[in-house]
Structure formats: structure tokens, C-alpha cells
Amino acid sequence: MSLMQEIVARAKADKQRIVLPEGTEIRTLKAANQILADGVAEIILIGNPEEVNKLAQENNLSDISKATIVDPIDNDKKEVYTNLLFDLRKSKGMTIEQAQKLAQDPLYLACLMIKNGDADGEVAGAQNTTGNVLRPAFQIVKTLPGISVVSGAFLMFMPEDKWGNNGIMVFADCAVHPNPTAEELAQIAVSTGHTTRAIAGFEPKIAMLSFSTKGSAKHEMVDKVVKATQLAKELDPTLKIDGELQADAAIIASVGQSKAPGSEIAGQANVLVFPTLEVGNIAYKLVQRLANAEAVGPILQGIAAPINDLSRGCSPEDVYSLIAITANQAIGIKNSKK
């Protein structure tokens, strides 16, 4: 069974309510139809019910009938969502009139549904920019306790199974935060460890990467990674984390043994945490292209509920996969609270 098949199977076993604010976007509808047909998740579509049903009929999407369709302009909880948004944002100067208007915006409405406990996660971005998707998430859903920074992880499927965990690695942050502080980098490491457990399904071995291994170079950028490593261990003592490590010391056993003898991560890392976004983004793209690896992501992490952003060039298959991944994140967050 492939990892994606495992992700889908876990989602089927504990169905989550995933809200899709772009409910009249055809790729989203096709993916939702297949998700419902396969029993992967419960789907909430935001959009005019007549338009949603017309599109479903025209495209032979018969399983859309199993979805909950929420009209952003006229729904039973309109007043509840308006008041919730007003209470959350009035200290920032929001008026009740502004709250009424924003509560009709599908992207805001989706986050309000999550905040109110009516949905477990969200997938959007087929029609909207990343900024528009994340803005209401930051304002309404906010970050997990103890986490102040949102980051983006990539699942890297390598052509050779000698790398990572049977050919699967997790890279972060490759998508969101340009130059994290030591404290923020520690949070990114912990969030990535939790993402690895929830989605990849294996125990993370996290390498905090630098251009130095165990003091081989002196620089403030090295100091940041050293401090972040210690803070990450304190944030979650259950995670296996080591640093600072150079990339070869992190993933090649002989180099790891030579440069970092006694390390339980060196030479066997399956999670790579990069010191800056610049490094992470360059690294994942190089590995993707030069090693012919498949990169799945970004998977956003650190938000109090899973909210994931699609590429506007996505396919229905991409939407399907991200819905299943989002469901796994929701399961992981719930399990961590038990």
C-alpha cells in the first residue's frame, strides 16, 4: 500500500468534516464527488445551492447529493457566525456591519464554521490566492497552543527507498516563513514532527540543518540552529531531534558517524528542517527536479485546525489528495488533545 493509499484509509476510518469554500469550482466539485463516492470524508460545500446542484448535474457528479451545501448569503447560522466574527475582531476595530459582510465571504465563512465546531478542516485555493486563503485563518482560527508561526511542509517521495523512511522524507519550512528566529525554528521543527506522525505515519527523526556539524563552523546562523534544536527538544521531549547537522551528515550513515558520532539522528534523518525559507524552498525544488522526486505540499502546519492552500493550477486529483491529507491532520490534532 502506498503512503497516499494509507492516508486515504486512515481518513475513511475516522471521517472528518472538510469544508470547501470554492463550492462552485468544477475541479473542487469533481474531487468532492469522488471523496464522497469513496467515503473518505464528509464534505461541506459553500456556494449557491442551485448553482452547485446544476453544475453537479451537468457533469454527472451524482455523489454531490451526499454533501452539505451551505449558502454563504442565506444560511441558518448566519447570525451566529456574524456575532462570532464580531466578538473575535471587535478589539481590532471591526464593526458589526463589517462582520455581517465578511461572514458572507466563503473563505471567512469556512473559518467561522471551523471555529464554531461545525467543520474540522478546510481546503481552498483553486480560485483564490494564498494570501486570501490564509488571512481569515490567521484572524479566526489562529495558531495551536504554544505555536506562533505557520509553516509549510513537503512530503518528498524519493525514487530510491534508501533515503528517509523507505524513500519518504519531510522537508520544512519550504513555503511560508522567510527567516525564522531560533524560537520560531524550534516551533517549525515540532510542527513538522507532528505533521510527519499524522500524515506520513512514521516516527520522525528530525535533523536541524546548517552549514556546520556539531561546532565545525562558528557563525550567528549556526548559533540560531543550535539554540532552536535545544528549544525544540524542550517543546516536545517525545520527538527525536538533533542539530546542528550538515545535510550529508544528516542523511548518509558513514558521514553521520564520522561527523556526529553518537547521534541518534545523524545518517538516518527522515525529516529535514531548514534554517530559512530560502534554503528550504531551493532544496526541495532541486531534489524534486534533479532526483526526480515527487513533492506533495505545501502542507500548512501550526494552525489550530488544518487549513490547506491549493495551487490555482491544481487538478481534481490534487484536490482529492489534499482533502485526505487535511482529514489526517484533523485526526492528528484531535488525538493530541486526548
Side-chain angles (χ1 to χ4, degrees), residues 35-261:
I35 287 282
L36 292 163
D38 294 346
V40 178
E42 296 178 20
I43 294 294
I44 303 165
L45 295 166
I46 298 179
N48 179 276
E50 289 186 8
E51 187 177 352
V52 172
N53 288 322
K54 181 183 178 185
L55 283 167
Q57 187 174 12
E58 289 173 350
N59 290 275
N60 298 314
L61 305 176
S62 59
D63 285 284
I64 290 298
S65 61
K66 301 174 186 175
T68 299
I69 303 173
V70 176
D71 189 331
I73 307 301
D74 183 20
N75 60 78
D76 293 341
K77 291 190 174 180
K78 183 176 180 179
E79 188 174 344
V80 171
Y81 296 139
T82 295
N83 290 333
L84 175 58
L85 181 57
F86 176 65
D87 288 341
L88 288 169
R89 302 295 296 172
K90 61 186 177 184
S91 64
K92 302 292 185 181
M94 182 173 286
T95 65
I96 191 67
E97 291 78 16
Q98 289 172 325
Q100 287 171 337
K101 183 177 180 180
L102 282 176
Q104 296 178 6
D105 181 319
L107 293 173
Y108 274 84
L109 178 55
C111 289
L112 289 166
M113 294 181 74
I114 291 170
K115 188 71 173 181
N116 199 53
D118 300 324
D120 301 308
E122 173 194 347
V123 173
Q127 288 179 315
N128 289 278
T129 65
T130 298
N132 286 342
V133 172
L134 292 184
R135 191 173 302 109
F138 292 148
Q139 294 178 4
I140 297 166
V141 181
K142 302 181 181 177
T143 55
L144 286 161
I147 302 293
S148 62
V149 61
V150 173
S151 55
F154 276 82
L155 295 177
M156 303 297 295
F157 295 87
M158 314 298 291
E160 295 182 83
D161 62 10
K162 68 178 182 178
W163 305 113
N165 192 87
N166 294 319
I168 301 169
M169 302 189 76
V170 184
F171 288 10
D173 172 19
C174 306
V176 181
H177 201 61
N179 189 18
T181 63
E183 291 77 12
E184 290 168 337
L185 190 59
Q187 293 176 26
I188 290 169
V190 169
S191 293
T192 308
H194 295 167
T195 294
T196 301
R197 284 173 173 167
I199 297 173
F202 56 76
E203 194 59 26
K205 295 179 180 179
I206 304 170
M208 307 291 285
L209 296 185
S210 178
F211 59 86
S212 167
T213 298
K214 299 297 182 179
S216 65
K218 302 295 183 185
H219 192 274
E220 61 183 15
M221 290 295 289
V222 177
D223 295 340
K224 180 178 85 167
V225 176
V226 172
K227 182 178 179 181
T229 302
Q230 184 58 44
L231 290 172
K233 290 178 178 180
E234 293 170 3
L235 273 174
D236 190 343
T238 73
L239 290 170
K240 292 182 178 180
I241 305 172
D242 199 12
E244 86 285 14
L245 295 170
Q246 289 165 284
D248 56 353
I251 63 173
I252 298 174
S254 60
V255 179
Q257 290 164 8
S258 172
K259 291 187 174 183

Side-chain angles (χ1 to χ4, degrees), residues 15 61 155 188 201 249 264 280 301 307 336:
K15 287 186 187 177
L61 305 176
L155 295 177
I188 290 169
E264 63 179 350
Q301 49 190 23
I307 294 171
S336 70

Side-chain angles (χ1 to χ4, degrees), residues 6-16 38-41 327-328 331:
E6 291 177 13
I7 289 169
V8 169
R10 288 198 295 266
K12 286 182 178 181
D14 188 0
K15 287 186 187 177
Q16 302 297 300
D38 294 346
V40 178
N328 276 249
I331 293 166

